[in-house]
Amino acid sequence: MDGAGSFGAGRAGSAFDLIAFIKQPQTILRVLAWIFSMVVFASIINEGYVNMGSERLHCVFNKNADACNYGIAIGIVAFLACVFFLALDVYFPQISSVKNRKRAVLLEMVFSGFWTFLWFVGFCFLASQWSHTSPKELPLEQASDAARAAIAFSFFSILSWAGLTVCTAQRFLLGTDMTLFTTEHIAGLPPKQPYPSNDVIGHTTIPVNAYQSPPLIETVETRPPGYKIPPAF
């Protein structure tokens, strides 16, 4: 199916343009989201726990283990999701099925919106628990930098995933425009002109004035025998 409602399926199988792919806002935002999520869960895992002179470790966020577990969970899932959707974006031009293309864009849009909400909840949760953390109860000098980094990059993750939601929503709503799924649109080049339409299957319609016969030129060879040029008056 090649037409307005095909989500660009008519151009499936085109050559992959790495430069155009890297320049896409969606790709840039996804890489940033991947880095931000890694910073969040890595900070909490490596330095988000402190001990109080015993073998038991306490979460730096007001000794609330749920805060640390939440930050680690959404960070790891977001990290894996970025890798998955990045691979899907690379493979997307090869998908020829219109339904599969629509499902891929819809899945990406719903997941991005949902994870934006989870990052917002995580940012509020971590910031609230950190504000209630007392330096008298925990040796914060051991993990204060990690806690602040987790909170800051949770906020940055909200922005990156919100941007991905906007990109995918626009991609879904305007999915009937084939040029939105081509490298010509991404690079700012004019889209390629389509082939002439077919009125009958297998027969291409050609305008009447597309081909014209050359003008009739009278020559000596075309004159009949005995023909005389009439005198001019």
Side-chain angles (χ1 to χ4, degrees):
M1 182 182 296
D2 185 8
S6 63
F7 276 82
R11 297 176 183 265
S14 58
F16 177 72
D17 190 343
L18 179 61
I19 303 301
F21 177 76
I22 295 176
K23 292 181 179 179
Q24 293 184 59
Q26 185 172 338
T27 304
I28 297 174
L29 288 172
R30 199 173 303 287
V31 172
L32 291 176
W34 178 75
I35 295 174
F36 296 160
S37 63
M38 181 171 54
V39 172
V40 172
F41 76 79
S43 298
I44 299 176
I45 291 176
N46 293 332
E47 300 181 8
Y49 293 90
V50 295
N51 55 39
M52 300 291 294
S54 62
E55 295 182 357
R56 183 179 180 181
L57 297 177
H58 299 276
C59 177
V60 70
F61 296 99
N62 198 26
K63 294 184 180 180
N64 190 344
D66 293 337
C68 288
N69 293 336
Y70 185 90
I72 293 173
I74 62 173
I76 292 178
V77 175
F79 177 86
L80 298 176
C82 287
V83 176
F84 170 77
F85 284 115
L86 193 63
L88 181 62
D89 290 340
V90 173
Y91 181 69
F92 188 84
Q94 307 302 322
I95 303 176
S96 59
S97 173
V98 179
K99 292 183 178 180
N100 291 339
R101 281 177 168 246
K102 185 175 181 179
R103 290 171 182 171
V105 176
L106 182 61
L107 173 64
E108 190 173 353
M109 180 182 65
V110 173
F111 185 89
S112 299
F114 180 61
W115 229 250
T116 302
F117 171 75
L118 292 184
W119 274 121
F120 176 76
V121 174
F123 168 75
C124 296
F125 189 19
L126 295 179
S128 176
Q129 293 300 311
W130 178 248
S131 65
H132 291 85
T133 303
S134 174
K136 297 179 180 180
E137 299 179 2
L138 293 173
L140 298 181
E141 65 276 1
Q142 298 181 13
S144 59
D145 292 339
R148 294 188 181 96
I151 295 173
F153 282 92
S154 294
F155 177 76
F156 296 153
S157 295
I158 297 174
L159 301 180
S160 60
W161 283 92
L164 287 171
T165 304
V166 173
C167 289
T168 52
Q170 182 184 23
R171 198 178 186 187
F172 180 80
L173 294 176
L174 302 180
T176 54
D177 187 356
M178 285 172 42
T179 60
L180 294 177
F181 298 88
T182 62
T183 55
E184 290 87 350
H185 172 77
I186 297 170
L189 301 176
K192 297 180 179 178
Q193 296 297 329
Y195 293 102
S197 59
N198 294 333
D199 291 341
V200 183
I201 298 177
H203 296 80
T204 303
T205 302
I206 301 176
V208 176
N209 59 351
Y211 300 100
Q212 296 181 354
S213 59
L216 180 61
I217 301 176
E218 186 178 3
T219 61
V220 177
E221 290 77 5
T222 58
R223 298 173 184 172
Y227 176 80
K228 295 183 180 180
I229 300 176
F233 296 98

